[in-house]
Amino acid sequence: ARTCYEEAISIARAVGARHNEAQARCNVARPLAALGDVEAAYAAYREAIPIFAELGEVRAEAVANGNFGTQLQFAGRYEEAEPLLRRCLELSRKTGYRLGEANALGNLGNWHYAQGRMALALDHLARSEALLAELANEPQRLHAAEILGLVQARLGHSNRARKRFNDARAGWERLGMPSATLLAVCALAQIAADRADFTEAERLLGEALASDVFADEAATDALASCLGVVLLRQGKREAAAEQFCRVVEADAETSACRAFLDRKLVAEAETVLAAAGDEDECHHRISARYWLWRAGATREHLQRAHELLEYVVAHAPPEDRAELVHRVPLYQDVSTAWQDESGQAPAGDAGACHREE
């Protein structure tokens, strides 16, 4: 895809087709970011936006600003993202582009949430959700509802948050989107656990684990990790360890998991996952190892969590490496625990992953 877009840019520039050149630059930005070349992706947006402005294509300029701002926000570059997100909102309103306005409000709500500005986050997200409902854009409305739920949960409004996520879960089920439904289930379980309703949290996660809807390995890993944490918070260490072992040794028998057999076999499987670049799977493995250690398992699980974390840091985009551990609470917990346990430098300082022989 990258080669095709770059060829399209060259052709458009050669024939003076400025709109096509700008559009191709925006189109190539996403695959560039997916390939880890984020600076090239950002450069593509920076070159496209002035072209749209020069041509007076206000809606296209709004979309490009919004997409660029969202990418910067995901990378934690909040100061750079804010003016782009605000520009997207301004241009969308100027042209009556209501979907663009709704998206811009939602993105600004996410931006305020990341900055800890809960009142402003609630205001922007509520306006975004209402506008998306008017436009009958159900998937994006559900996303907005979920972010609203996260904000409400963080403010301690658990009943409102639960209502939001129940609405989102029902909506994703109607749309036939199991991965989105899964996230809503995990959020509902977390809300229940936070208010000490562990029975409800276990029920939600147990039913999801037993369902055919979430049969793939990634979904099972996520549910088992969530359930393990809920069990551990109740002091049910053996039951929690069993769930974490489902993640760490997904292909092994439960009895083998309990015995924590053959570390080398597990390490080889994890190395293959890491090499495949599946960040979600690596995250689940790090989480499971860390919580196994917290549940009373041997120190080697904390060590392996730290090794996997170092691998993730070493293979993150260069501009993200320095702050990655500090941005993700789990990674910070693993890094601090390993430093306390071993006296070694925290993850990210060594600059490379420790590989097992």
Side-chain angles (χ1 to χ4, degrees):
R2 176 176 183 169
T3 303
C4 292
Y5 284 128
E6 288 175 346
E7 185 177 349
I9 291 169
S10 297
I11 294 170
R13 185 189 297 149
V15 300
R18 301 281 282 157
H19 167 84
N20 292 344
E21 178 189 347
Q23 193 60 59
R25 290 188 184 282
C26 288
N27 290 341
V28 79
R30 183 165 294 180
L32 284 171
L35 290 167
D37 195 352
V38 291
E39 291 303 329
Y42 299 160
Y45 281 122
R46 291 189 182 102
E47 291 167 345
I49 289 170
I51 297 174
F52 287 134
E54 177 189 325
L55 296 174
E57 297 189 14
V58 182
R59 181 177 293 194
E61 185 186 352
V63 172
N65 273 281
N67 289 341
F68 186 16
T70 301
Q71 282 203 6
L72 287 168
Q73 182 169 250
F74 285 155
R77 296 166 66 162
Y78 299 111
E79 289 186 10
E80 297 171 75
E82 182 189 14
L84 293 163
L85 298 175
R86 293 194 182 282
R87 181 65 173 160
C88 176
L89 179 59
E90 175 191 345
L91 294 173
S92 296
R93 284 174 169 168
K94 181 178 179 180
T95 59
Y97 179 34
R98 301 190 77 208
L99 179 58
E101 180 182 353
N103 289 336
L105 285 167
N107 287 331
L108 281 166
N110 292 340
W111 186 88
H112 286 299
Y113 175 68
Q115 303 297 305
R117 300 168 182 172
M118 297 297 113
L120 286 169
L122 282 171
D123 175 64
H124 283 76
L125 289 164
R127 285 190 283 157
S128 174
E129 184 191 25
L131 189 48
L132 288 165
E134 284 182 36
L135 297 171
N137 191 315
E138 187 68 352
Q140 289 184 270
R141 184 194 72 78
L142 293 174
H143 279 303
E146 288 180 321
I147 302 297
L148 268 169
L150 289 174
V151 176
Q152 289 167 334
R154 188 167 170 182
L155 291 171
H157 303 155
S158 60
N159 287 335
R160 295 178 188 175
R162 183 173 52 181
K163 183 178 184 302
R164 292 283 182 190
F165 279 105
N166 274 321
D167 172 44
R169 179 185 181 179
W172 295 127
E173 286 175 344
R174 284 195 305 273
L175 294 172
M177 300 182 70
S179 59
T181 306
L182 170 67
L183 293 175
V185 169
C186 288
L188 284 165
Q190 181 64 55
I191 292 166
D194 286 345
R195 65 173 189 271
D197 188 353
F198 296 113
T199 301
E200 173 67 3
E202 284 188 50
R203 182 191 68 78
L204 285 164
L205 295 168
E207 287 180 359
L209 276 166
S211 169
D212 292 338
V213 176
F214 308 118
D216 65 278
E217 186 176 339
T220 301
D221 285 353
L223 290 166
S225 291
C226 289
L227 181 54
V229 173
V230 168
L231 292 166
L232 190 58
R233 288 176 68 176
Q234 300 173 75
K236 300 178 180 179
R237 292 193 167 206
E238 184 176 348
E242 182 176 331
Q243 294 303 321
F244 296 133
C245 283
R246 292 179 66 170
V247 183
V248 172
E249 303 182 29
D251 296 326
E253 295 294 330
T254 300
S255 59
C257 292
R258 287 185 177 178
F260 307 126
L261 290 181
D262 202 333
R263 177 176 181 240
K264 183 172 176 53
L265 178 64
V266 178
E268 287 174 356
E270 288 169 336
T271 300
V272 170
L273 281 167
D278 192 330
E279 294 178 9
D280 287 340
E281 289 293 338
C282 284
H283 181 88
H284 293 320
R285 298 300 192 263
I286 292 168
S287 174
R289 288 284 187 177
Y290 172 70
W291 286 105
L292 267 171
W293 172 72
R294 286 282 300 271
T298 57
R299 178 184 179 216
E300 68 180 2
H301 290 284
L302 176 61
Q303 180 180 354
R304 184 58 184 153
H306 185 261
E307 290 170 350
L308 282 170
L309 176 55
E310 284 196 314
Y311 183 94
V312 169
V313 170
H315 290 77
E319 68 278 4
D320 289 345
R321 289 175 193 162
E323 298 298 325
L324 180 60
V325 170
H326 300 291
R327 286 208 311 268
V328 182
L330 169 66
Y331 296 169
Q332 192 166 10
D333 290 343
V334 170
S335 183
T336 301
W338 180 246
Q339 186 177 21
D340 292 344
E341 189 80 7
S342 68
Q344 296 180 13
D349 286 4
C353 176
H354 295 299
R355 294 301 190 105
E356 289 177 297
E357 298 298 328

